[in-house]
């Protein structure tokens, strides 16, 4: 079983819709959870990170963690065509500077 | 400033060539990383440098040779690569310790091996 599972999509929604992106993980030692956005042929951009369970909001983006279910989500409100990108969840592989374990990434398309 | 720069943006090399990829950051980060990303796949960790010392090598073939000349620079030396090594090579940096999860990525070098 892979440590981080993420549906690769594509996920296509109309402009203005609320988008829900999700990942599940198997390693209960994971404590930090990140979401990266990657536009085509660009490097990943850190969107949000959370620690422990609960919600964290930043503008139109909300990150949610449910440690009991090993499930994390990223919600995008009032989605825009410029949000079309691949969204990757990521978790530190270990303690200290150990690199990140990424999900496969979900390709999101916002239709104008 | 959260910028990580990488040069060159694109590189085409033959299997007998020797080339180098360069990465630079001026955020005072003491951890730097090389990742490899194939098309439609997530980034995969190759190397980690912590305080200019190699701390992780994810069983990467010896035809890839990393180097960290100082705390701001990271190089990846390439020699005798195979066509399957064609990919986007990403550099990232972070603080050390608990904040190491906040990794900032450069735009990548798109490498094609012919």
């Amino acid at each position: 079983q892979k440590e981080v599972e993420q549906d690769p999509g594509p996920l296509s929604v109309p402009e203005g819709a609320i988008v829900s992106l999700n990942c599940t993980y198997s390693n209960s030692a994971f404590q930090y959870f990140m979401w990266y956005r990657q536009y085509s042929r660009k490097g990943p951009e850190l969107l949000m990170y959370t620690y422990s369970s609960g919600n964290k909001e930043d503008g139109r983006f909300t990150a949610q963690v449910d440690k009991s279910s090993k499930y994390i989500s990223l919600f995008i409100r009032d989605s825009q065509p410029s949000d079309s990108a691949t969204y990757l969840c990521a978790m530190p592989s270990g303690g200290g500077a150990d690199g990140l374990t990424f999900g496969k990434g979900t390709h999101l398309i916002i239709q104008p | 400033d959260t910028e990580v720069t990488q040069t060159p943006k694109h590189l085409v090399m033959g299997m007998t060539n020797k080339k180098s990829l360069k990465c630079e950051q001026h955020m005072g980060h003491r951890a730097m990383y090389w990742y490899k990303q194939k098309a439609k796949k997530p980034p995969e960790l190759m190397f980690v440098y912590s305080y200019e010392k190699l701390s992780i090598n994810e069983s990467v073939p010896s035809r890839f040779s990393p180097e960290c000349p100082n705390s701001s620079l990271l190089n990846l030396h390439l020699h005798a690569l195979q066509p399957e090594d064609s990919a986007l090579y990403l550099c990232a940096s972070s603080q050390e310790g608990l904040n190491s999860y906040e990794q900032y990525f450069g735009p990548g070098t798109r490498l094609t091996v012919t």
Side-chain angles (χ1 to χ4, degrees), chain A residues 85-104:
Chain A
T86 296
Y87 290 79
L88 299 135
C89 60
M91 297 156 207
S93 303
D98 279 356
L100 298 174
T101 297
F102 285 88
K104 285 184 181 179

Side-chain angles (χ1 to χ4, degrees), chain B residues 1-107:
Chain B
D1 181 10
T2 58
E3 188 177 28
V4 176
T5 58
Q6 290 187 244
T7 55
K9 289 185 180 178
H10 303 275
L11 179 63
V12 179
M13 61 185 290
M15 289 188 283
T16 58
N17 291 158
K18 284 186 181 179
K19 296 285 185 183
S20 296
L21 310 184
K22 296 185 185 300
C23 172
E24 191 166 3
Q25 57 88 13
H26 294 288
M27 294 178 276
H29 289 168
R30 302 308 298 270
M32 296 186 77
Y33 311 79
W34 280 115
Y35 288 83
K36 173 182 176 180
Q37 187 176 26
K38 301 281 277 185
K40 299 190 186 302
K41 299 287 186 184
E44 292 182 348
L45 184 67
M46 299 175 72
F47 302 105
V48 180
Y49 272 84
S50 177
Y51 293 98
E52 295 106 71
K53 291 190 184 335
L54 182 65
S55 60
I56 293 179
N57 176 341
E58 290 286 353
S59 303
V60 179
S62 59
R63 56 186 184 268
F64 295 91
S65 175
E67 178 196 19
C68 190
N70 60 55
S71 59
S72 300
L73 292 174
L74 186 66
N75 298 322
L76 186 63
H77 303 297
L78 314 173
H79 174 55
L81 294 192
Q82 304 298 308
E84 60 264 30
D85 295 322
S86 298
L88 181 67
Y89 287 85
L90 295 161
C91 173
S93 70
S94 74
Q95 295 182 34
E96 251 291 3
L98 286 179
N99 291 334
S100 65
Y101 55 85
E102 282 187 68
Q103 293 187 17
Y104 295 91
F105 284 81

Side-chain angles (χ1 to χ4, degrees), chain A residues 21-109:
Chain A
L21 304 165
N22 310 294
C23 289
T24 59
Y25 63 95
S26 57
N27 188 344
S28 57
F30 287 148
Q31 296 187 69
Y32 297 93
F33 307 92
M34 279 70 69
W35 285 96
Y36 282 84
R37 177 175 63 194
Q38 187 172 23
Y39 291 111
S40 180
R41 308 181 80 82
K42 302 287 187 184
E45 171 194 1
L46 180 60
L47 269 182
M48 297 184 70
Y49 63 90
T50 55
Y51 172 71
S52 78
S53 293
N55 291 0
K56 182 176 180 179
E57 194 172 314
D58 185 1
R60 296 186 296 113
F61 297 89
T62 299
Q64 192 173 77
V65 176
D66 182 348
K67 279 192 168 182
S68 60
S69 302
K70 298 191 180 68
Y71 192 87
I72 66 171
S73 301
L74 179 71
F75 298 97
I76 308 174
R77 290 185 300 280
D78 188 24
S79 56
Q80 306 293 311
S82 58
D83 295 327
S84 299
T86 296
Y87 290 79
L88 299 135
C89 60
M91 297 156 207
S93 303
D98 279 356
L100 298 174
T101 297
F102 285 88
K104 285 184 181 179
T106 298
H107 180 45
L108 175 65
I109 301 166

